[in-house]
Amino acid sequence: MDNCIFCKIIEGTIPAKKVYEDEEIVAIEDIKPEAPHHLLLIPKKHIVNALDLTPADDALVGRVYRVAASLARERGVDERGFRIVQNTNADAGQSVFHIHFHFLAGRHMAWPPG
Ligand code: 5GP
Ligand code: ZN
């Protein structure tokens, strides 16, 4: 997708710190980390947000969660815990309109979120 920053990161035309990649997903370090571990799990397919998902994407979303669990174990934050956040549209604060899942860990996180 033209003018999509995450499509450009996936293609490699914009640099990012990749920490994981498979055929369907990349995980990168967030450029403005909000926790000691702040990764973005990004499906390679250009999906805008949760409202743009179709039944064909069901397995992909499940895979995102399994990759997150695997990264949590790899980083030793599985026992203490982690948070996965997907912001959709303005009230949630979505700023990049290519679906991504924030992986946050390494500090206590408040509930409810701000
Ligand atoms: P959203 O607000 O859409 O849920 O999250 C977008 C996230 O992407 C933000 O946490 C922001 O810091 C991150 N981000 C925006 N541009 C870039 C970039 O060029 N590189 C990386 N690594 N992260 C980015
Ligand atoms: Zn995109």
Side-chain angles (χ1 to χ4, degrees):
M1 181 71 63
D2 289 349
N3 284 327
C4 170
I5 194 158
F6 286 173
C7 281
K8 287 181 179 155
I9 284 173
I10 290 157
E11 289 161 16
T13 51
I14 289 181
K17 277 194 200 159
K18 277 188 195 165
V19 298
Y20 174 85
E21 180 162 16
D22 65 29
E23 322 80 80
E24 292 187 299
I25 295 165
V26 295
I28 62 171
E29 303 269 4
D30 197 292
I31 205 166
K32 189 174 162 283
E34 300 290 355
H37 301 264
H38 187 173
L39 308 177
L40 300 173
L41 282 78
I42 312 174
K44 289 184 175 176
K45 181 179 171 190
H46 183 92
I47 297 165
V48 176
N49 56 35
L51 296 166
D52 193 29
L53 289 165
T54 71
D57 303 315
D58 289 359
L60 173 63
V61 175
R63 187 176 184 143
V64 165
Y65 275 76
R66 288 201 311 102
V67 168
S70 151
L71 288 166
R73 287 189 195 98
E74 195 179 292
R75 289 164 174 252
V77 295
D78 51 321
E79 270 189 35
R80 276 185 59 193
F82 56 95
R83 185 173 285 178
I84 297 170
V85 177
Q86 197 286 307
N87 295 318
T88 286
N89 280 345
D91 268 3
Q94 185 176 9
S95 61
V96 177
F97 289 83
H98 177 135
I99 200 167
H100 52 281
F101 298 77
H102 295 259
F103 172 96
L104 297 151
R107 65 166 171 82
H108 180 74
M109 276 166 275
W111 190 264

